[in-house]
Amino acid sequence: MMIRHAKLQIEFKGEFMGIREMRKHIGWYTVGYPSSTKLRAKTNEMESLEDLVQLLNAWRDKIMSV
């Protein structure tokens, strides 16, 4: 859902603004999940949809292995 949301943000506002606005949305999506604090900290380094996809995949793999 976060990736779909990001794609829509990018379509509407462009990649530069869309990804930056997704940083706050990711915080809302992930509240209460394991390691979400670290994920939210890393979102500040995102600059593209590809960065977001890689970050979310790594985070998902980490929480699924617990």
Side-chain angles (χ1 to χ4, degrees):
M1 181 54 102
M2 288 185 268
I3 294 170
R4 182 174 186 269
H5 187 168
K7 287 179 180 179
L8 291 170
Q9 281 282 106
I10 290 167
E11 184 179 317
F12 185 67
K13 296 199 173 188
E15 190 164 40
F16 183 82
M17 284 306 298
I19 287 297
R20 276 148 186 80
E21 288 187 12
M22 276 307 295
R23 292 174 181 173
K24 67 179 175 184
H25 295 293
I26 289 168
W28 297 332
Y29 277 115
T30 60
V31 168
Y33 281 96
S35 303
S36 64
T37 302
K38 292 178 184 177
L39 173 71
R40 288 191 300 272
K42 289 183 179 184
T43 60
N44 292 324
E45 300 169 12
M46 292 185 323
E47 295 194 10
S48 68
L49 180 60
E50 184 179 331
D51 292 344
L52 173 62
V53 170
Q54 289 175 358
L55 182 62
L56 291 177
N57 286 336
W59 180 67
R60 181 199 62 215
D61 293 344
K62 182 177 180 178
I63 65 170
M64 297 302 276
S65 67
V66 172

Coordinates of all heavy atoms in Angstrom, one line a residue:
M1 N 0.8 -1.2 0.0 CA 0.0 0.0 0.0 C 0.9 1.3 0.0 O 0.5 2.2 -0.7 CB -0.9 0.0 1.2 CG -1.8 1.2 1.3 SD -2.8 1.4 -0.2 CE -4.4 0.8 0.3
M2 N 2.0 1.2 0.7 CA 2.9 2.4 0.8 C 3.5 2.7 -0.6 O 3.6 3.8 -1.0 CB 4.0 2.2 1.8 CG 3.5 2.3 3.2 SD 4.8 2.1 4.4 CE 4.9 0.4 4.7
I3 N 3.8 1.6 -1.3 CA 4.4 1.8 -2.6 C 3.4 2.4 -3.6 O 3.7 3.3 -4.4 CB 5.0 0.5 -3.2 CG1 6.2 0.2 -2.3 CG2 5.5 0.7 -4.6 CD1 6.8 -1.2 -2.5
R4 N 2.2 1.9 -3.5 CA 1.1 2.4 -4.3 C 0.9 3.9 -4.0 O 0.7 4.7 -4.9 CB -0.2 1.6 -4.1 CG -1.3 2.1 -5.0 CD -2.5 1.1 -4.9 NE -3.5 1.5 -5.8 CZ -4.5 2.4 -5.5 NH1 -4.6 2.9 -4.4 NH2 -5.4 2.6 -6.5
H5 N 0.8 4.2 -2.7 CA 0.6 5.6 -2.3 C 1.7 6.5 -2.8 O 1.5 7.6 -3.3 CB 0.6 5.6 -0.8 CG 0.2 6.9 -0.2 ND1 -0.1 7.1 1.1 CD2 0.2 8.2 -0.7 CE1 -0.3 8.4 1.4 NE2 -0.2 9.1 0.3
A6 N 3.0 6.0 -2.8 CA 4.1 6.7 -3.3 C 4.0 7.0 -4.8 O 4.3 8.1 -5.2 CB 5.4 6.0 -2.9
K7 N 3.6 6.0 -5.5 CA 3.5 6.1 -6.9 C 2.4 7.2 -7.3 O 2.6 8.0 -8.2 CB 3.1 4.8 -7.6 CG 4.2 3.8 -7.6 CD 3.8 2.5 -8.3 CE 4.9 1.5 -8.3 NZ 4.5 0.2 -8.9
L8 N 1.3 7.2 -6.5 CA 0.3 8.2 -6.7 C 0.8 9.6 -6.4 O 0.5 10.6 -7.1 CB -1.0 7.9 -5.9 CG -1.7 6.7 -6.4 CD1 -2.8 6.3 -5.4 CD2 -2.3 6.9 -7.8
Q9 N 1.6 9.7 -5.3 CA 2.2 11.0 -4.9 C 3.1 11.5 -6.0 O 3.1 12.7 -6.3 CB 3.0 10.8 -3.6 CG 2.2 10.8 -2.3 CD 1.7 12.1 -1.9 OE1 0.6 12.5 -2.0 NE2 2.6 12.9 -1.4
I10 N 3.9 10.6 -6.5 CA 4.9 11.0 -7.6 C 4.1 11.4 -8.8 O 4.5 12.4 -9.5 CB 5.8 9.8 -7.8 CG1 6.8 9.7 -6.6 CG2 6.6 10.1 -9.1 CD1 7.6 8.4 -6.6
E11 N 3.1 10.7 -9.2 CA 2.3 11.0 -10.3 C 1.7 12.4 -10.2 O 1.6 13.2 -11.2 CB 1.2 10.0 -10.5 CG 0.4 10.2 -11.8 CD -0.7 9.1 -11.9 OE1 -0.4 7.9 -11.6 OE2 -1.8 9.4 -12.2
F12 N 1.2 12.7 -9.0 CA 0.6 14.0 -8.8 C 1.5 15.2 -8.5 O 1.3 16.3 -9.0 CB -0.4 13.9 -7.5 CG -1.2 15.0 -7.2 CD1 -2.2 15.4 -8.1 CD2 -1.0 15.8 -6.1 CE1 -3.0 16.5 -7.9 CE2 -1.8 16.9 -5.8 CZ -2.8 17.3 -6.7
K13 N 2.6 14.9 -7.8 CA 3.5 16.0 -7.4 C 4.9 16.0 -8.0 O 5.7 16.8 -7.7 CB 3.6 16.1 -5.9 CG 2.3 16.4 -5.3 CD 2.4 17.0 -3.9 CE 1.0 17.4 -3.4 NZ 1.1 18.1 -2.2
G14 N 5.2 14.9 -8.7 CA 6.6 14.7 -9.2 C 7.4 13.9 -8.2 O 7.1 13.9 -7.0
E15 N 8.5 13.4 -8.6 CA 9.3 12.5 -7.7 C 9.9 13.3 -6.6 O 9.9 12.8 -5.4 CB 10.4 11.7 -8.5 CG 11.0 10.7 -7.6 CD 11.8 9.6 -8.4 OE1 12.5 10.0 -9.4 OE2 11.7 8.5 -8.1
F16 N 10.5 14.5 -6.8 CA 11.1 15.2 -5.8 C 10.2 15.5 -4.6 O 10.5 15.1 -3.5 CB 11.7 16.5 -6.3 CG 12.4 17.3 -5.3 CD1 13.8 17.1 -5.1 CD2 11.8 18.4 -4.7 CE1 14.5 17.8 -4.1 CE2 12.5 19.1 -3.7 CZ 13.9 18.8 -3.5
M17 N 9.0 16.1 -4.8 CA 8.1 16.4 -3.8 C 7.3 15.2 -3.3 O 7.1 15.1 -2.1 CB 7.1 17.5 -4.2 CG 7.7 18.9 -4.3 SD 8.5 19.4 -2.7 CE 7.1 19.4 -1.6
G18 N 7.0 14.3 -4.2 CA 6.2 13.1 -3.8 C 6.9 12.3 -2.8 O 6.4 11.8 -1.8
I19 N 8.2 12.0 -3.0 CA 9.0 11.2 -2.1 C 9.2 11.9 -0.8 O 9.1 11.3 0.3 CB 10.4 10.8 -2.7 CG1 10.2 9.7 -3.8 CG2 11.3 10.3 -1.6 CD1 9.6 8.4 -3.3
R20 N 9.4 13.2 -0.8 CA 9.6 13.9 0.4 C 8.3 13.9 1.3 O 8.4 13.8 2.5 CB 10.1 15.3 0.2 CG 11.6 15.4 0.0 CD 12.1 16.4 -0.9 NE 13.5 16.2 -1.1 CZ 14.1 15.4 -2.0 NH1 13.3 14.5 -2.6 NH2 15.4 15.3 -2.1
E21 N 7.2 14.0 0.6 CA 5.9 14.0 1.4 C 5.6 12.6 1.9 O 5.0 12.4 2.9 CB 4.8 14.5 0.5 CG 4.9 16.0 0.3 CD 3.7 16.6 -0.4 OE1 2.6 15.9 -0.5 OE2 3.7 17.8 -0.8
M22 N 6.1 11.6 1.2 CA 5.9 10.2 1.6 C 6.6 9.9 2.9 O 6.2 9.0 3.7 CB 6.3 9.2 0.6 CG 5.3 8.9 -0.5 SD 3.7 8.4 0.1 CE 4.1 6.9 0.9
R23 N 7.6 10.6 3.2 CA 8.4 10.4 4.5 C 7.5 10.5 5.7 O 7.6 9.6 6.6 CB 9.5 11.4 4.6 CG 10.6 11.2 3.6 CD 11.6 12.3 3.7 NE 12.7 12.2 2.6 CZ 13.6 13.0 2.4 NH1 13.7 14.2 3.0 NH2 14.5 12.8 1.4
K24 N 6.6 11.4 5.7 CA 5.7 11.5 6.9 C 4.6 10.5 6.8 O 4.2 9.9 7.9 CB 5.1 12.9 7.0 CG 4.1 13.3 5.9 CD 3.5 14.7 6.0 CE 2.7 15.0 4.8 NZ 2.2 16.3 4.9
H25 N 4.2 10.1 5.7 CA 3.1 9.1 5.5 C 3.7 7.7 6.0 O 2.9 6.9 6.6 CB 2.6 9.0 4.1 CG 1.9 10.3 3.7 ND1 0.7 10.7 4.2 CD2 2.2 11.2 2.8 CE1 0.3 11.8 3.7 NE2 1.2 12.2 2.8
I26 N 4.9 7.4 5.7 CA 5.5 6.2 6.1 C 5.5 6.1 7.6 O 5.3 5.0 8.1 CB 6.9 6.0 5.5 CG1 6.8 5.8 4.0 CG2 7.7 4.9 6.1 CD1 8.1 5.9 3.2
G27 N 5.8 7.2 8.2 CA 5.7 7.2 9.7 C 4.3 6.8 10.2 O 4.2 6.0 11.1
W28 N 3.3 7.3 9.6 CA 1.9 6.9 10.0 C 1.6 5.5 9.7 O 0.9 4.8 10.5 CB 0.9 7.9 9.3 CG 1.1 9.3 9.7 CD1 1.6 9.8 10.9 CD2 0.7 10.4 8.9 NE1 1.6 11.2 10.9 CE2 1.0 11.6 9.7 CE3 0.2 10.6 7.6 CZ2 0.8 12.9 9.2 CZ3 0.0 11.9 7.2 CH2 0.3 13.0 7.9
Y29 N 2.1 5.0 8.5 CA 1.8 3.6 8.1 C 2.5 2.6 9.1 O 2.0 1.5 9.3 CB 2.3 3.3 6.7 CG 1.4 3.7 5.6 CD1 1.8 4.7 4.7 CD2 0.2 3.1 5.4 CE1 1.0 5.1 3.6 CE2 -0.6 3.4 4.3 CZ -0.2 4.4 3.4 OH -1.0 4.7 2.4
T30 N 3.6 3.0 9.6 CA 4.4 2.0 10.3 C 4.4 2.1 11.9 O 5.1 1.3 12.5 CB 5.9 2.1 9.9 OG1 6.4 3.4 10.1 CG2 6.0 1.8 8.4
V31 N 3.6 3.0 12.4 CA 3.6 3.1 13.9 C 3.2 1.8 14.5 O 2.2 1.1 14.0 CB 2.6 4.2 14.3 CG1 2.3 4.2 15.8 CG2 3.1 5.6 13.9
G32 N 4.0 1.3 15.5 CA 3.6 0.1 16.2 C 4.3 -1.2 15.6 O 4.2 -2.2 16.2
Y33 N 4.9 -1.1 14.4 CA 5.5 -2.2 13.9 C 7.0 -2.4 14.4 O 7.6 -1.4 14.8 CB 5.6 -2.1 12.3 CG 4.4 -2.5 11.6 CD1 3.5 -1.5 11.2 CD2 4.1 -3.8 11.3 CE1 2.3 -1.8 10.6 CE2 2.9 -4.1 10.6 CZ 2.0 -3.1 10.3 OH 0.8 -3.4 9.6
P34 N 7.5 -3.6 14.5 CA 8.9 -3.8 14.9 C 9.8 -3.0 14.0 O 9.7 -3.0 12.8 CB 9.1 -5.3 14.8 CG 7.8 -5.9 14.7 CD 6.8 -4.9 14.1
S35 N 10.8 -2.4 14.6 CA 11.9 -1.7 13.9 C 11.4 -0.5 13.2 O 12.1 0.0 12.3 CB 12.7 -2.6 13.0 OG 13.2 -3.7 13.7
S36 N 10.2 0.0 13.4 CA 9.7 1.1 12.7 C 10.4 2.4 13.0 O 10.5 3.3 12.1 CB 8.2 1.3 12.9 OG 7.9 1.6 14.3
T37 N 11.0 2.6 14.1 CA 11.7 3.8 14.5 C 12.9 3.9 13.6 O 13.2 4.9 13.0 CB 12.2 3.8 15.9 OG1 11.0 3.6 16.7 CG2 12.9 5.0 16.3
K38 N 13.6 2.8 13.4 CA 14.8 2.8 12.5 C 14.4 3.0 11.0 O 15.1 3.7 10.3 CB 15.6 1.4 12.6 CG 16.2 1.3 13.9 CD 16.9 -0.1 14.0 CE 17.5 -0.3 15.4 NZ 18.1 -1.6 15.6
L39 N 13.3 2.4 10.6 CA 12.8 2.6 9.3 C 12.5 4.1 9.0 O 12.9 4.7 8.0 CB 11.5 1.8 9.0 CG 10.8 2.1 7.7 CD1 11.7 1.5 6.5 CD2 9.5 1.5 7.6
R40 N 11.8 4.7 10.0 CA 11.4 6.1 9.8 C 12.7 7.0 9.7 O 12.7 8.0 9.0 CB 10.5 6.6 10.9 CG 9.1 6.0 10.8 CD 8.1 6.6 11.7 NE 8.4 6.5 13.1 CZ 8.0 5.4 13.9 NH1 7.4 4.5 13.3 NH2 8.3 5.4 15.1
A41 N 13.7 6.7 10.5 CA 15.0 7.4 10.4 C 15.6 7.3 9.1 O 16.1 8.3 8.5 CB 15.9 6.9 11.5
K42 N 15.5 6.1 8.5 CA 16.2 5.9 7.2 C 15.4 6.5 6.0 O 15.9 6.8 5.0 CB 16.3 4.4 6.9 CG 17.4 3.8 7.8 CD 17.6 2.3 7.4 CE 18.7 1.7 8.3 NZ 19.0 0.3 7.9
T43 N 14.1 6.8 6.3 CA 13.3 7.4 5.2 C 13.8 8.8 4.9 O 13.6 9.3 3.7 CB 11.8 7.5 5.6 OG1 11.6 8.3 6.7 CG2 11.2 6.1 5.7
N44 N 14.5 9.5 5.8 CA 15.0 10.8 5.5 C 16.1 10.8 4.5 O 16.5 11.8 4.0 CB 15.5 11.4 6.8 CG 14.3 11.8 7.7 OD1 13.2 12.1 7.3 ND2 14.5 11.6 9.0
E45 N 16.6 9.6 4.2 CA 17.7 9.5 3.2 C 17.1 9.2 1.8 O 17.9 9.2 0.8 CB 18.7 8.4 3.6 CG 19.3 8.7 4.9 CD 20.1 7.5 5.5 OE1 20.3 6.5 4.7 OE2 20.5 7.5 6.7
M46 N 15.8 8.9 1.7 CA 15.2 8.5 0.4 C 15.2 9.7 -0.5 O 14.8 10.8 -0.1 CB 13.8 8.0 0.6 CG 13.6 6.8 1.3 SD 11.8 6.3 1.4 CE 10.9 7.9 1.5
E47 N 15.5 9.4 -1.8 CA 15.3 10.4 -2.8 C 14.6 10.0 -4.0 O 14.3 10.8 -4.9 CB 16.7 10.9 -3.2 CG 17.4 11.6 -2.0 CD 18.6 12.4 -2.4 OE1 18.9 12.6 -3.6 OE2 19.3 12.9 -1.5
S48 N 14.2 8.7 -4.1 CA 13.5 8.2 -5.3 C 12.6 7.0 -4.9 O 12.7 6.5 -3.8 CB 14.5 7.7 -6.3 OG 15.2 6.5 -5.8
L49 N 11.7 6.7 -5.8 CA 10.8 5.6 -5.6 C 11.6 4.3 -5.4 O 11.3 3.4 -4.6 CB 9.8 5.4 -6.8 CG 8.8 4.3 -6.7 CD1 8.0 4.4 -5.4 CD2 8.0 4.2 -7.9
E50 N 12.7 4.2 -6.2 CA 13.6 3.0 -6.1 C 14.1 2.9 -4.7 O 14.2 1.8 -4.1 CB 14.7 3.1 -7.1 CG 15.6 1.8 -7.1 CD 16.7 1.9 -8.2 OE1 16.5 2.6 -9.2 OE2 17.7 1.3 -7.9
D51 N 14.6 4.0 -4.1 CA 15.1 4.0 -2.7 C 14.0 3.5 -1.8 O 14.3 2.7 -0.9 CB 15.5 5.4 -2.3 CG 16.7 5.9 -3.0 OD1 17.5 5.1 -3.6 OD2 17.0 7.1 -2.9
L52 N 12.8 3.9 -1.9 CA 11.7 3.5 -1.1 C 11.4 2.1 -1.2 O 11.3 1.4 -0.2 CB 10.4 4.3 -1.4 CG 9.1 3.9 -0.7 CD1 9.3 4.1 0.8 CD2 7.9 4.7 -1.2
V53 N 11.3 1.6 -2.4 CA 11.1 0.1 -2.6 C 12.1 -0.7 -2.0 O 11.8 -1.7 -1.3 CB 10.9 -0.2 -4.1 CG1 10.9 -1.7 -4.4 CG2 9.7 0.5 -4.7
Q54 N 13.4 -0.4 -2.2 CA 14.5 -1.1 -1.5 C 14.4 -1.1 0.0 O 14.6 -2.1 0.7 CB 15.8 -0.6 -2.0 CG 16.2 -0.9 -3.4 CD 17.5 -0.2 -3.9 OE1 18.1 0.5 -3.2 NE2 17.8 -0.5 -5.1
L55 N 14.1 0.1 0.5 CA 14.0 0.2 2.0 C 12.9 -0.6 2.5 O 13.0 -1.3 3.5 CB 13.8 1.7 2.3 CG 13.7 2.1 3.8 CD1 15.0 1.7 4.5 CD2 13.4 3.6 3.9
L56 N 11.7 -0.5 1.9 CA 10.6 -1.3 2.4 C 10.8 -2.8 2.3 O 10.4 -3.5 3.1 CB 9.3 -0.8 1.7 CG 8.8 0.6 2.0 CD1 7.6 0.9 1.2 CD2 8.5 0.7 3.5
N57 N 11.4 -3.2 1.2 CA 11.7 -4.6 1.0 C 12.6 -5.2 2.1 O 12.4 -6.2 2.7 CB 12.2 -5.0 -0.4 CG 11.1 -4.9 -1.4 OD1 9.9 -5.0 -1.2 ND2 11.5 -4.6 -2.7
A58 N 13.6 -4.4 2.4 CA 14.6 -4.8 3.4 C 13.9 -4.8 4.8 O 14.1 -5.8 5.6 CB 15.8 -3.9 3.4
W59 N 13.1 -3.9 5.1 CA 12.4 -3.8 6.3 C 11.4 -5.0 6.4 O 11.3 -5.6 7.5 CB 11.7 -2.5 6.4 CG 10.9 -2.3 7.7 CD1 11.3 -2.1 9.0 CD2 9.4 -2.1 7.8 NE1 10.3 -1.9 9.8 CE2 9.2 -2.0 9.2 CE3 8.4 -2.2 6.9 CZ2 7.8 -1.8 9.6 CZ3 7.1 -2.0 7.3 CH2 6.8 -1.8 8.7
R60 N 10.7 -5.2 5.4 CA 9.7 -6.4 5.4 C 10.4 -7.7 5.6 O 10.0 -8.5 6.4 CB 9.0 -6.4 4.0 CG 7.9 -7.6 4.0 CD 7.5 -8.0 2.6 NE 8.7 -8.4 1.9 CZ 8.9 -8.2 0.6 NH1 8.1 -7.5 -0.1 NH2 10.0 -8.7 0.0
D61 N 11.6 -7.9 4.9 CA 12.3 -9.1 5.1 C 12.8 -9.3 6.6 O 12.8 -10.4 7.1 CB 13.5 -9.2 4.2 CG 13.1 -9.3 2.7 OD1 11.9 -9.6 2.5 OD2 13.9 -9.0 1.8
K62 N 13.2 -8.1 7.2 CA 13.7 -8.2 8.5 C 12.5 -8.5 9.5 O 12.7 -9.4 10.4 CB 14.3 -6.8 8.9 CG 14.8 -6.8 10.3 CD 15.5 -5.5 10.6 CE 16.0 -5.5 12.0 NZ 16.7 -4.3 12.4
I63 N 11.4 -7.9 9.4 CA 10.3 -8.2 10.3 C 9.6 -9.5 10.1 O 9.1 -10.1 11.0 CB 9.2 -7.0 10.4 CG1 8.4 -6.9 9.1 CG2 9.8 -5.7 10.8 CD1 7.2 -6.0 9.2
M64 N 9.7 -10.0 8.9 CA 9.1 -11.4 8.6 C 10.0 -12.5 9.1 O 9.6 -13.6 9.3 CB 8.9 -11.5 7.1 CG 7.9 -10.6 6.5 SD 6.3 -10.7 7.3 CE 5.6 -12.0 6.4
S65 N 11.3 -12.2 9.3 CA 12.2 -13.2 9.8 C 12.2 -13.3 11.3 O 12.9 -14.2 11.9 CB 13.6 -13.0 9.3 OG 14.2 -11.8 9.9
V66 N 11.5 -12.4 12.0 CA 11.5 -12.5 13.5 C 10.6 -13.5 14.0 O 9.7 -13.9 13.5 CB 11.1 -11.1 14.0 CG1 10.9 -11.1 15.5 CG2 12.1 -10.0 13.6

